Amino acid sequence: MLSDAKIRGVKPRDKAFKVTDSHRLYLLVTPGGSKLWKWNYAYDGKQKTMAFGSYPVVTLLEARGKRDEGRAMLLEGKDPAIQKKLRIEANLEKARNTFELVAREWYETVKAQWARVHAEDVLRSLERDAFPFIGDLPVSELTPPKILEVLQAIEERGAIESARRLRQRISSVFVFAIAKGIAEKDPAEKLAAVLKPLRKGRQPAITDLKALKKMIGDAEQDYARPITRLALRLLALTAVRPSELRGALWEEFHDLNGEEPLWRIPASRMKGDLDRKEEIGGDHLVPLASQSIDVLRALWPLTGGGELVFPGNRHGHRPMSENAIGYLLNRAGYHGRHVPHGFRAAFSTIMNEWAERHGKKHDRKVIDLMLAHVPTGKVEGAYNRAAYLERRRELAVAWADLLTKGLPSLELLVDLPAKELMGQSRRKRLPQVPANFLFPEGEG
């Protein structure tokens, strides 16, 4: 039997020789002084030898452990040398199956079910926020703390919803890996409970572009007055508060036939205290994309004879019901999932993420300005509400292009049935607006 003291006392000779332990374990001492662990065993009638490493890198206790492990395999009818090779190959395979490799394979498998823009956003979020940090790590070795570290880095930049969406995407990658047999568990599954909560009191809002467009399409196909459908579309395009939309007057719109169409919402109609409502120069300026102009063109034959852009159904001199758009969303199946005010959260989330990819240095400030938010620390009356107007117009165009691609035409919205009575649809043919329609002079 060997001991550490005995091993240390062994001196090299002119030729290699063995110093034996028990159960055929021995040290091969070379002329150069190296001491190599070897183990002889018999398998299927053949004599074989395994190497366990060199002493003292592999201690006497560790060498005996490897020997005993091999003897246990022999009792099960397994060849220890072959099992060692299989373990090495399995470890190499684990190393090859990095998170990025598996995630890209998952993406290629599922992307066909998504719209192109959404698919690009999914991949971009992984490339920006996940691959640089965990992309080269074996998917089977990732742990909840490591993934939480990635998600918390996103939270630190204020993108709470982005962190939650990325967790869902990482979790989907692991579900895919488990199905392929290259992972045993999903370390992202339970992390939603420890991420920062969404702001309390926040009204329900769909903030995923694909889901948002589907919701708009579903709602616009439901039975409603054409004015209500068009109000929903303009609310989504401008992200103003529902009360500001309902009270819109035709006289508030300017240069609708020109190069810089604008909606000037008077300070008196904006949210805020008396000082805000009486503020000189406090009007909220909403640059209008061409898609918003098209909505107004479709509305003109319906309401252009009065002051209100969105009059009520019974009283033309009063704004439409504050519940009209909400009821439309509820009928379309989105009760508790999205409210009219939710378009502001959708615009903020989607455009801030868009700005991270395509924007300029101050786009986050510009987006807040488009929502009539005053930055923390700013004096309300001293805030420049006309700042960044050119960039606001560019962002309004970008938002409108993202939002309206694939949505029904405005002509269809005007011509759809307004009500359903006794199972029969009532269709009233409404005036159509020529594509080259110009607003009358003096009406913007």
Side-chain angles (χ1 to χ4, degrees), residues 92-99 101-102 105 137-140 182:
L92 290 173
E93 188 64 22
K94 285 182 180 179
R96 295 186 192 107
N97 285 319
T98 63
F99 177 80
L101 185 148
V102 176
E105 186 178 353
L137 299 179
V139 70
S140 60
I182 54 180

Side-chain angles (χ1 to χ4, degrees), residues 162-183:
S162 296
R164 289 183 167 270
R165 277 202 295 273
L166 184 63
R167 186 209 65 80
Q168 293 174 338
R169 291 163 184 171
I170 291 175
S171 186
S172 295
V173 172
F174 276 99
V175 170
F176 176 76
I178 292 169
K180 291 201 66 178
I182 54 180

Side-chain angles (χ1 to χ4, degrees), residues 248-322:
L249 302 174
W250 282 107
E251 67 182 18
E252 295 172 2
F253 293 89
H254 305 277
D255 199 26
L256 296 185
N257 296 323
E259 296 295 323
E260 297 181 347
L262 186 72
W263 180 8
R264 181 183 291 273
I265 304 176
S268 59
R269 289 211 303 111
M270 295 296 296
K271 178 182 178 181
D273 56 20
L274 186 60
D275 288 341
R276 168 72 175 93
K277 294 179 181 296
E278 294 180 348
E279 180 184 337
I280 298 175
D283 297 349
H284 179 46
L285 307 181
V286 184
L288 300 172
S290 61
Q291 293 91 333
S292 297
I293 303 299
D294 291 340
V295 174
L296 294 172
R297 285 189 177 125
L299 279 163
W300 180 260
L302 308 180
T303 69
E307 292 184 346
L308 289 164
V309 180
F310 300 103
N313 191 25
R314 297 181 180 179
H315 305 286
H317 62 287
R318 295 180 182 176
M320 67 188 298
S321 167
E322 63 180 347

Side-chain angles (χ1 to χ4, degrees), residues 37 39 50 60 68 117-118 146 167 177 193 253 259 263 276 293 297 306 333 341 345 365 381 397 410 415 417 430 439:
W37 289 113
W39 177 54
M50 283 188 69
L60 172 61
D68 293 341
V117 172
H118 177 68
K146 186 62 180 178
R167 186 209 65 80
F253 293 89
E259 296 295 323
W263 180 8
R276 168 72 175 93
I293 303 299
R297 285 189 177 125
H341 197 275
K365 297 179 182 178
V397 170
L410 297 178
D415 197 38
L430 295 169
F439 290 94

Side-chain angles (χ1 to χ4, degrees), residues 65-325:
K66 292 176 182 290
R67 174 203 62 195
D68 293 341
E69 182 182 355
R71 294 178 69 201
M73 292 180 187
L74 288 172
L75 291 175
E76 296 177 356
K78 298 176 181 177
D79 185 338
I82 293 177
Q83 295 302 310
K84 179 180 179 181
K85 289 180 180 179
L86 290 175
R87 283 200 303 269
I88 292 173
E89 183 58 35
N91 289 334
L92 290 173
E93 188 64 22
K94 285 182 180 179
R96 295 186 192 107
N97 285 319
T98 63
F99 177 80
E100 180 172 352
L101 185 148
V102 176
R104 290 187 182 278
E105 186 178 353
W106 163 78
Y107 173 78
E108 292 298 326
T109 301
V110 300
K111 71 176 183 179
Q113 64 185 286
W114 298 326
R116 181 181 60 82
V117 172
H118 177 68
E120 290 175 352
D121 280 344
V122 169
L123 182 59
R124 192 176 291 110
S125 71
L126 290 167
E127 290 177 334
R128 180 186 65 231
D129 296 326
F131 294 166
F133 308 102
I134 59 174
D136 59 349
L137 299 179
V139 70
S140 60
E141 301 296 329
L142 285 169
T143 62
K146 186 62 180 178
I147 295 175
L148 181 61
E149 182 181 316
V150 172
L151 299 176
Q152 287 178 333
I154 302 171
E155 289 181 329
E156 287 176 2
R157 68 173 191 249
I160 307 302
E161 292 187 37
S162 296
R164 289 183 167 270
R165 277 202 295 273
L166 184 63
R167 186 209 65 80
Q168 293 174 338
R169 291 163 184 171
I170 291 175
S171 186
S172 295
V173 172
F174 276 99
V175 170
F176 176 76
I178 292 169
K180 291 201 66 178
I182 54 180
E184 296 182 357
K185 56 188 177 181
D186 173 10
E189 180 182 10
K190 305 295 185 182
L191 293 183
V194 296
L195 293 177
K196 290 182 179 179
L198 297 176
R199 189 174 57 193
K200 291 184 178 180
R202 188 169 189 166
Q203 301 194 58
I206 294 173
T207 57
D208 175 81
L209 181 60
K210 178 186 176 183
L212 184 70
K213 292 171 68 170
K214 182 180 186 304
M215 182 270 295
I216 294 172
D218 290 343
E220 290 179 344
Q221 292 297 312
D222 211 307
Y223 291 97
R225 289 196 307 154
I227 293 173
T228 306
R229 292 195 189 96
L230 294 170
L232 175 71
R233 181 72 69 93
L234 191 61
L235 184 66
L237 285 166
T238 58
V240 298
R241 296 180 178 91
S243 60
E244 295 158 6
L245 180 95
R246 290 175 47 248
L249 302 174
W250 282 107
E251 67 182 18
E252 295 172 2
F253 293 89
H254 305 277
D255 199 26
L256 296 185
N257 296 323
E259 296 295 323
E260 297 181 347
L262 186 72
W263 180 8
R264 181 183 291 273
I265 304 176
S268 59
R269 289 211 303 111
M270 295 296 296
K271 178 182 178 181
D273 56 20
L274 186 60
D275 288 341
R276 168 72 175 93
K277 294 179 181 296
E278 294 180 348
E279 180 184 337
I280 298 175
D283 297 349
H284 179 46
L285 307 181
V286 184
L288 300 172
S290 61
Q291 293 91 333
S292 297
I293 303 299
D294 291 340
V295 174
L296 294 172
R297 285 189 177 125
L299 279 163
W300 180 260
L302 308 180
T303 69
E307 292 184 346
L308 289 164
V309 180
F310 300 103
N313 191 25
R314 297 181 180 179
H315 305 286
H317 62 287
R318 295 180 182 176
M320 67 188 298
S321 167
E322 63 180 347
N323 297 319
I325 299 177

Side-chain angles (χ1 to χ4, degrees), residues 223 419-426:
Y223 291 97
K419 290 184 179 180
E420 185 176 37
L421 299 174
M422 301 298 290
Q424 301 293 322
S425 63
R426 184 181 72 185

